[in-house]
Amino acid sequence: QVHLVESGGGVVQPGKSLRLSCAASGFNFNNYGMHWVRQAPGKGLEWVAIVSYEGSKTYYTNSVKGRFTISRDSENTVYLEMNNLRPDDTALYYCARARGIFWFEKLLSPDFWGQGTLVTVSP
Amino acid sequence: QSALTQPPSVSGSPGQSVTISCTGTSGDVGGYNYVSWYQQRPGKAPKFMIYDVNERPSGVPDRFSGSKSGNTASLTISGLQSEDEADYYCCSYAGTYSFVFGTGTTVTVL
C-alpha cells in the first residue's frame, strides 16, 4: 500500500534553512506528481507546492515563492528546501501524492498523505 | 490564493444528514470540476474522501457525497455516525497547477 514518511523537521531560528524529506513506497513513484501541504498549529490546511512526476515542473503558493524549492530524486524521495524561514512558516508539513499518474490537471488532487513533520521557527 | 470559505462547525444527531459548504470564486471552485474533500481526525493525517466534485475513492462509504453549484461546492454526510466526527476540508484546483484549501469545518455528532 502507499506509504509516505516525512522527516527533517525541527526547531530553527528565523532566517535559517531546513530541508524536509518524504520517502515514498508502495507505488510507482516515478509516475506521480507530489505535493507538500502544511498545517499551522490549530489551523487549517495550506497547499505549499507541487512537483511533476519527472521533476521538471514545480509550482508554489505565493507566500513561499523564492524561498522554498520542491524537488525529487529517482530513489523515491521528494524534498522541500526551505530558506529564509519565518515564524509564520511554523507548521506540520505533510507530503501527499497526486491521485493520478503523469501530469494532467484533472489527476493532481492529493490523495494519500504522510503523517507529517513539524517545523518550528522561533528565535 | 485566498482560502475557500467553509462554516466553522456543523452538527447533527446520529442518522441525520449534514451538509458542509465550500465557497470560492470563478478562479477555483467555479472554474474547475476538481474539488476534493478530506476528513481529518485529531492528531491524524487527512483522509481523501471525495474527488472531482462527486467521486468517491474506493473504501469511502456512500454516505459521503459531493456536489457543486456555481462557486460553491458541498459535502453531504447522510446517516451520520459517531465515527464521522472530525474536521473536513475542501480543496480546489485553482489553475496553473496550484491548489487552495478551505478554512475547515468541524462536524460534531450530538
Side-chain angles (χ1 to χ4, degrees):
Chain A
Q1 69 278 23
V2 176
H3 198 46
L4 301 169
V5 179
E6 302 92 337
S7 61
V11 180
V12 62
Q13 293 178 328
K16 299 297 187 181
S17 299
L18 208 58
R19 187 175 84 155
L20 306 183
S21 300
C22 170
S25 60
F27 64 102
N28 191 339
F29 178 75
N30 296 323
N31 284 351
Y32 289 83
M34 296 294 294
H35 299 265
W36 284 98
V37 178
R38 67 185 179 183
Q39 186 169 33
K43 303 297 184 181
L45 300 171
E46 180 185 20
W47 179 80
V48 174
I50 188 171
V51 60
S52 59
Y53 65 100
E54 87 288 32
S56 67
K57 293 177 277 292
T58 59
Y59 298 87
Y60 303 89
T61 191
N62 286 340
S63 63
V64 309
K65 280 179 185 174
R67 300 190 300 124
F68 289 14
T69 302
I70 188 172
S71 63
R72 62 192 296 160
D73 64 19
S74 57
E75 298 194 15
N76 291 15
T77 303
V78 62
Y79 302 98
L80 187 68
E81 183 77 36
M82 305 185 294
N83 297 318
N84 191 20
L85 281 160
R86 309 187 307 216
D88 63 356
D89 295 318
T90 294
L92 186 63
Y93 283 74
Y94 293 102
C95 73
R97 190 187 75 166
R99 74 170 188 88
I101 61 173
F102 304 135
W103 193 246
F104 303 101
E105 292 177 330
K106 177 180 174 63
L107 300 180
L108 296 180
S109 299
D111 60 358
F112 289 96
W113 299 58
Q115 291 302 308
T117 186
L118 182 62
V119 173
T120 303
V121 184
S122 178
Chain B
Q1 293 181 328
S2 297
L4 309 175
T5 300
Q6 297 180 232
S9 63
V10 299
S11 62
S13 299
Q16 290 186 329
S17 294
V18 295
T19 296
I20 303 167
S21 61
C22 168
T23 301
T25 69
S26 59
D28 39 61
V29 175
Y32 306 94
N33 287 325
Y34 309 146
V35 176
S36 51
W37 289 89
Y38 302 87
Q39 176 191 69
Q40 188 179 34
R41 296 194 172 102
K44 300 296 186 183
K47 178 185 176 184
F48 190 44
M49 303 298 286
I50 294 284
Y51 66 95
D52 292 356
V53 175
N54 58 12
E55 300 291 333
R56 277 187 310 277
S58 98
V60 173
D62 60 6
R63 303 185 290 102
F64 291 86
S65 62
S67 62
K68 192 187 88 166
S69 177
N71 295 338
T72 298
S74 299
L75 174 72
T76 297
I77 310 173
S78 305
L80 198 61
Q81 299 183 4
S82 58
E83 68 205 51
D84 300 332
E85 198 160 272
D87 292 332
Y88 291 82
Y89 293 90
C90 59
C91 176
S92 176
Y93 182 69
T96 321
Y97 304 104
S98 69
F99 287 81
V100 60
F101 280 90
T103 50
T105 299
T106 299
V107 170
T108 302
V109 182
L110 301 172

